[in-house]
Amino acid sequence: MTLEQVAHRHDDSSARLTEANRVPLGAPILELKGLQKNYGYVQALKPATMTFLAGEIHAIVGENGAGKSTLIKLLTGVIPRTAGEIIWCGHPVALATPNEAIARGINAVHQEVVLCPHLTVAANLFLGDEINRNGLMRKRQMEKMAQAVLDDLGFGLPAHVPLGSLTIGQQQLVATARAAMRGTQFLIFDEPTAYLTRQESAQLFKLIRRLQSEGVTIVYISHRMEEVFEIADRVSVLRDGTHVGTRKIAETDENELIALMINRSIEQIYHKEKIAFGETILETRGLSGPGFENVSLSVRAGEIVGLYGLIGAGRSEFALGLYGRHPVSAGEVHWMGRMVDIKDERAAMELGIALAPESRRDQGLCLNLPIGLNINLPILRRLSHGPVIGRAEAASNADQQIRDLSIKTPSQRVLVSSMSGGNQQKIVIGKWLSHGARLFIFDEPTVGVDVGTKAEIYRLFAKLLKAGAGIILISSYLPEVYELADRLHVFRAGHLVGSHDFHAASHEDVLAEAIGI
Amino acid sequence: MAITSTESAAAAPRRGMNVLFSLTLIGLLLALWIVLGFATASFWTPLNISNLLRQGAMTAILAVGQTFVIITAGIDLSVGAIVGFSSVILAWLLQAGVPLWIAIAATLLLGVAIGAFHGFGIVRMGLPPFIITLATLTALRGIGLLITNGSTISITNEAFTNFARADFLGIPSLFWMVILIAVPAYVFLHLSRWGRYLFAVGSNSEAARLSGVNVTRTIYTAYILSATCAAFVGVLLASRIGIGNATQAEGWELQAIASSVIGGTSLFGAIGSVHGPLIGAFILATINNGANLLNVNSFWQRIITGVLIIVIVYFDQLRRRSSR
């Protein structure tokens, strides 16, 4: 059974398909006329007029807070608009509820998969649309159909395992298949590759192209320029809630898009200054632990040491082991020339190691607590007089970090959950700047972060280096480590498989080492 | 500085909302008092007010301890059983001729030990808080019944049994005990770093751990405080009723949780205060007291309490949603 057959399972789905199918390929399928959204006095989306053509892949780029998520929420019926019109297949529509959007064939795949991890892949694919007979679920039939769809899409995924046992990338593929099975005519991807490995991204792109060839209109939101150029037909740029332009992909280049987005050129993003290396801060000799084995490397003052590898290659595990989160089973750690035993996180912090962990959401931040508390969490001891926290000092420290890092918030009492990804990352960094450290470990510091904030973070690296710190930069985004790391180590399957000085190896060589070909 | 002043101005609504919620709770409490003052002749008598303060006092102390645990995204179902159990232990020690102060100290230490056991079960054995405290709830009642062989132990120490009936500066001694607990509890939760750690662990324990917070110690602290508060209430109860009985305080854990939740504590953790549960406990006490005065069937009291919990927590949810 193929995807189409499943998608056309219900009569009503084919009915709404004909509505969308009446729009010939290349003609406008969705038009925004002065679409606008205000939150109180804040204009999240200034009156925007855009056209999406049937069957195209339309990328939307812009910095955090540029209005991309607002636009998605308006199109998927999650929030009501303030003013303007949405024209779907030639008729103005309300799109007042998520269900209306889905019923019209508009769907979204989010960066964070919003499905049930404990249910099987098949159960998730059919969730809310189960096949019943006499009130009982046809579990085996659904599993068979789900497997057929997965095979048809070439995912090579089993339908009967719990969704949670798959990688985030595979879950994303399932979420996409789910949207496709519902007869979607208009599919929005919100930064889908943020957590994906390269192979998973490639698989997702194949699926997107296939959906396009079946006449589905795709809106693709991403921070990654090379993806936009790889997959999109047209690209629209948002800046500060304003639609500043739409280009055909063949008629533009990266520099123009970035200029539109931030008024800044690409050379200014990867900001690397020549800084003289100082003494060796940290050296590991044959360090082994859960997920990594026999890792020897060193970090000097003023140096960025890059750790590159696919997700799960052992980079983050190495960082957590070094930081005392997981017990180390073998090997030595030398700190400033002295052998040390880092038995827990506190010990690492006291030595002078700071870790901005991989996942902001799971490891970095207390989301439902205020910004100020998050920033001050590592240094509450220092801020306390006896048992009581010095309120004025705590407030002024938080305010200082907010100012220094230009975190966009009206107050430090705002909850972290209401901040954008870029601002959340700055809060994670702010925590460790106020604590202070000799060695900063940044694990995926720019995932889901826009170009402007990226540049700010990189500039901050230079500042830390100049102050005599060393940096371990972990990333699965090759250009980032390639352009910034003074020494680049490549991880594969828990082992250090290659080490290169700045620009000593080509992109292709590094990639080959990471993948293992 | 211009920047600072605009920041605090923008932040004002948030803090305002919290104060507003406390005010609505106090408003509700006052409204209940005013209505009952009109509806009954005996509500505003000194005797009844003392009674009300006594009735609410024990739940209030339990609710404060419970709130520490709930803020870490846990639950302590054992507090009612600890109250009954520690009344037995105290009476038993006194019967054996142990001096009063040592008996009280030993009972409180037993509370510390029970709390530490909860911490051990959660942190070291990896049991869910619901399960480990449910287990001690059942087991402690059993141990108490074994010790007393199913009966009660009378307390003959008159100085001790008079304490719960005594007044100080015209206010019942039991209510002074609430203040004795509430003031340090407020300092601990809202002003000290250990209080912040409770919130951080309840919000995201992994993030707290990676920020250098000792998560294990924080969880131990929360459960030890809750169990010790419960043991303290056991001492107060023993003083009030003059006996040790393992079946006393049946269902008080639910009263404590209800007071905490009415007082704005989120069962998902990371949201809560000390003053909220106190007001919540006295709202519940007022409803029981008023219902008694109005001769409302005690079965109806339970129904009213249930409905009230739903209404108050629902309004709290609405408030949270609108402030987001």
Side-chain angles (χ1 to χ4, degrees), chain A residues 321-382:
Chain A
L322 187 60
Y323 191 68
R325 175 65 183 90
H326 297 312
V328 170
S329 56
E332 295 173 4
V333 179
H334 292 254
W335 179 261
M336 313 292 285
R338 198 165 45 84
M339 195 171 127
V340 289
D341 173 28
I342 301 173
K343 57 180 198 314
D344 60 16
E345 302 85 4
R346 192 90 237 159
M349 284 167 66
E350 274 158 16
L351 274 184
I353 304 178
L355 171 68
E358 184 178 10
S359 165
R360 292 190 285 270
R361 196 173 268 272
D362 299 332
Q363 304 169 299
L365 294 167
C366 297
L367 287 175
N368 56 354
L369 292 177
I371 296 171
L373 203 167
N374 272 281
I375 291 178
N376 289 328
L377 192 55
I379 57 162
L380 284 179
R381 189 183 292 225
R382 200 192 300 158

Side-chain angles (χ1 to χ4, degrees), chain A residues 323 325 346 365 368 389 431, chain B residues 191 203-204 206 210-212:
Chain A
Y323 191 68
R325 175 65 183 90
R346 192 90 237 159
L365 294 167
N368 56 354
I389 299 168
K431 269 167 76 162
Chain B
L191 303 181
S203 174
N204 184 346
E206 185 63 20
L210 292 177
S211 304

Side-chain angles (χ1 to χ4, degrees), chain A residues 32-202:
Chain A
L32 315 180
K33 293 197 170 156
L35 188 66
Q36 185 184 348
K37 176 68 188 176
N38 299 351
Y39 289 105
Y41 298 105
V42 181
Q43 282 195 309
L45 187 66
K46 290 167 193 155
T49 299
M50 292 168 77
T51 306
F52 298 93
L53 307 177
E56 74 169 339
I57 299 180
H58 193 129
I60 296 180
V61 295
E63 291 194 275
N64 283 334
K68 296 174 310 222
S69 355
T70 308
L71 183 60
I72 300 173
K73 285 183 193 158
L74 288 169
L75 293 183
T76 49
V78 177
I79 52 172
R81 57 185 175 244
T82 308
E85 269 192 326
I86 300 175
I87 315 264
W88 172 251
C89 303
H91 312 284
V93 288
L95 291 184
T97 64
N99 279 340
E100 187 193 340
I102 292 167
R104 292 189 189 280
I106 301 176
N107 251 305
V109 174
H110 297 280
Q111 182 182 341
E112 319 273 346
V113 177
V114 271
L115 289 172
C116 307
H118 294 97
L119 300 185
T120 64
V121 172
N124 272 290
L125 286 175
F126 282 96
L127 193 64
D129 192 25
E130 286 82 1
I131 304 171
N132 295 294
R133 182 183 292 170
N134 305 327
L136 295 176
M137 267 203 310
R138 310 282 296 164
K139 208 175 150 196
R140 223 168 315 145
Q141 189 189 344
M142 284 194 290
E143 215 158 80
K144 248 173 77 187
M145 282 171 76
Q147 190 63 59
V149 168
L150 292 173
D151 292 345
D152 179 44
L153 294 172
F155 288 171
L157 293 177
H160 62 275
V161 301
L163 184 74
S165 68
L166 304 181
T167 67
I168 297 177
Q170 292 169 332
Q171 294 184 29
Q172 201 117 48
L173 293 175
V174 173
T176 312
R178 188 181 136 85
M181 275 169 59
R182 276 163 175 62
T184 296
Q185 282 308 297
F186 193 93
L187 190 50
I188 305 167
F189 287 90
D190 184 8
E191 283 189 51
T193 57
Y195 296 113
L196 300 200
T197 64
R198 191 169 261 269
Q199 297 103 306
E200 287 167 345
S201 302

Side-chain angles (χ1 to χ4, degrees), chain A residues 286-295 312-331 342-343 358 491 493-495:
Chain A
L287 201 65
S288 302
F292 62 99
E293 217 168 301
N294 195 17
V295 176
R315 310 155 308 165
S316 307
E317 291 77 3
F318 168 73
L320 287 171
L322 187 60
Y323 191 68
R325 175 65 183 90
H326 297 312
V328 170
S329 56
I342 301 173
K343 57 180 198 314
E358 184 178 10
F491 275 72
H495 291 268

